[in-house]
Amino acid sequence: MCRTSCLSAFLLLLQFVIRSDAGFGVGGGVGVGVGGGGGGGVWIGGGGVGSPSPSGSSLKVAYVAIQAWKSAITGDPLGILKTWVGPNVCAYKGIFCAEPQNGGGLGPVVAGIDLNKASLQGVLVDELSMLSDLSLIHLNSNRFSGTVPESFGALNFLQELDLSNNQFSGSFPEATLQIPNLIYLDLRFNSFTGPIPEDVFYKPLDAILLNNNHFEGPIPSNLGSSPASVINLANNMLTGDIPSSFSFMGSRLKEILFLNNRLTGCVPQGIGFLSQVEVLDFSFNSLVGHLPDTISCLNKIEVLNLGHNGLSGELPDLVCSLKNLINLTLAYNFFSALDEDCGRLLFGRFDFSGNCIPGRVMQRSGHECSMVPGGGLSCLRIPAVEPIVCGSPTMRQSP
């Protein structure tokens, strides 16, 4: 998963970082969850007495770029910019230097910007693209606004871009799709609007974190083309069906969250092909119909949340006996029956409230249960002729 790979990449970078022993730290860790914002580590500062003296044209260019950005930062309550003085950019807090990735022996270059939780206010500037050796930009939990400069597409070595928990706005930042080696894209907790472009899911990204914005329109039909291990689309205004290609995302997918959008239609029949998925959240949408039998093939699933939709019928056999299942939420749907294994489960981490299940407490009224939504849609459960053997051709039911 990205939490491991991105952290490993960051630690590898820091092995080569030339920085002082007097770094400025305000926390640590890497997060990929829905809440709180912020995806990368939270170190602020790579400067100090032990930082290298600038040499060569690269750091001179970096000086020009960083000073241009400094002039566009209007709020600095922690005093970070007080260290951004003089030509020795490797001594600036939040700026990390390393030997260039392409060698050359020309001395250190600016390889990382890590200003997470610095509370800086301002905008990003085109001149940042002059830092052509950047491997990571971590700016989560600041007050940056405006848009992402088009010039960011020229950052050929950039692998991690974390702009989460800021005040960015406008349409999806297309410049991020032009960065050739990007593997971690975190735009959470901003005010981006409009559709999600399909090119996002063609990029070789390991993490796509777009939750808590104002994205709208349908999820692109090529969702299944993404090689990502973590995708978070929660808390937007996305509409339409979950693309059928979702079922064919392969074994790399570990977490995908659709919660709190405006999605309609059915749970795709091929969901059981997601053999390695661990977290799956469809909650707080308007999905309807019966669940496909293949959902019982999610052998790695730990968290399955289907709550607050219009799903109905009987929960497919074996779902409640999945060995890794820790949290199952079916609350506030229209399920009418549970299999024997589910019937033995108690409330708590397994929530069946607000349904139409005879013999269970905290269920809907008979009047509510007579008005099952989506009855006219063709996404009724299609039982297999033979018992499903997960991973075998018998899983391939009608779409």
Side-chain angles (χ1 to χ4, degrees):
M1 295 174 60
C2 181
R3 281 174 285 190
T4 301
S5 62
C6 292
L7 181 59
S8 298
F10 187 45
L11 292 176
L12 181 61
L13 168 66
L14 292 178
Q15 285 183 317
F16 299 102
V17 167
I18 303 173
R19 59 186 175 90
S20 128
D21 294 333
F24 181 88
V26 294
V30 175
V32 182
V34 177
V42 291
W43 289 334
I44 300 178
V49 177
S51 299
S53 298
S55 61
S57 60
S58 177
L59 293 183
K60 293 178 182 178
V61 170
Y63 172 79
V64 173
I66 296 171
Q67 291 301 315
W69 188 27
K70 180 181 178 181
S71 68
I73 296 176
T74 57
D76 178 25
L78 302 182
I80 304 301
L81 301 188
K82 292 179 181 178
T83 69
W84 289 17
V85 177
N88 187 4
V89 297
C90 297
Y92 294 3
K93 285 181 179 178
I95 306 299
F96 292 88
C97 294
E99 293 300 317
Q101 296 188 43
N102 58 0
L106 298 178
V109 296
V110 173
I113 297 174
D114 198 328
L115 289 164
N116 288 353
K117 298 186 179 180
S119 298
L120 296 172
Q121 181 176 4
V123 298
L124 304 182
V125 296
D126 284 324
E127 286 86 351
L128 286 171
S129 65
M130 295 164 61
L131 304 174
S132 58
D133 292 281
L134 281 174
S135 292
L136 62 86
I137 298 175
H138 287 174
L139 297 178
N140 88 59
S141 302
N142 284 281
R143 294 174 291 157
F144 289 110
S145 59
T147 59
V148 179
E150 289 295 323
S151 61
F152 270 41
L155 294 172
N156 292 332
F157 292 110
L158 192 67
Q159 295 184 326
E160 301 181 26
L161 179 61
D162 182 355
L163 303 179
S164 63
N165 201 13
N166 279 282
Q167 299 166 13
F168 292 108
S169 59
S171 60
F172 188 98
E174 296 280 348
T176 63
L177 303 179
Q178 307 304 316
I179 303 172
N181 291 300
L182 195 66
I183 60 173
Y184 181 98
L185 178 61
D186 191 347
L187 302 179
R188 296 176 291 169
F189 294 92
N190 281 288
S191 297
F192 291 114
T193 58
I196 297 174
E198 66 176 15
D199 285 350
V200 173
F201 302 117
Y202 287 133
K203 290 281 292 183
L205 294 165
D206 186 51
I208 303 172
L209 307 176
L210 307 181
N211 56 284
N212 294 81
N213 280 282
H214 304 293
F215 291 121
E216 57 189 359
I219 298 173
S221 60
N222 67 324
L223 172 67
S225 299
S226 175
S229 65
V230 178
I231 297 177
N232 195 337
L233 305 179
N235 300 314
N236 283 288
M237 297 182 288
L238 301 171
T239 56
D241 294 356
I242 298 171
S244 58
S245 65
F246 162 68
S247 301
F248 304 101
M249 296 192 70
S251 61
R252 289 195 61 188
L253 185 66
K254 300 295 189 296
E255 300 181 17
I256 188 163
L257 298 96
F258 297 106
L259 70 138
N260 198 26
N261 280 284
R262 301 171 183 175
L263 300 175
T264 54
C266 318
V267 175
Q269 284 284 327
I271 189 172
F273 291 116
L274 303 177
S275 59
Q276 301 298 311
V277 72
E278 298 171 0
V279 177
L280 185 56
D281 196 331
F282 294 109
S283 63
F284 291 93
N285 282 287
S286 298
L287 302 176
V288 297
H290 295 212
L291 291 178
D293 276 352
T294 60
I295 201 168
S296 61
C297 291
L298 299 176
N299 292 320
K300 299 290 187 179
I301 197 73
E302 298 177 6
V303 177
L304 178 59
N305 192 342
L306 302 167
H308 296 267
N309 280 286
L311 299 167
S312 58
E314 180 179 352
L315 190 68
D317 297 344
L318 304 179
V319 169
C320 292
S321 59
L322 289 170
K323 62 181 181 179
N324 292 308
L325 190 61
I326 298 171
N327 187 306
L328 172 64
T329 301
L330 304 177
Y332 294 94
N333 282 283
F334 291 83
F335 289 109
S336 57
L338 302 175
D339 75 356
E340 187 174 330
D341 288 323
C342 292
R344 290 195 294 265
L345 295 174
L346 300 175
F347 291 100
R349 292 180 299 175
F350 297 82
D351 188 354
F352 306 119
S353 61
N355 281 282
C356 303
I357 304 170
R360 285 274 180 176
V361 298
M362 300 175 64
Q363 299 297 296
R364 293 181 183 273
S365 68
H367 176 68
E368 288 180 291
C369 292
S370 68
M371 299 184 293
V372 177
L377 291 182
S378 59
C379 54
L380 295 178
R381 178 181 173 197
I382 306 174
V385 176
E386 300 177 358
I388 289 178
V389 178
C390 296
S392 74
T394 61
M395 284 177 56
R396 298 182 181 276
Q397 303 178 39
S398 302

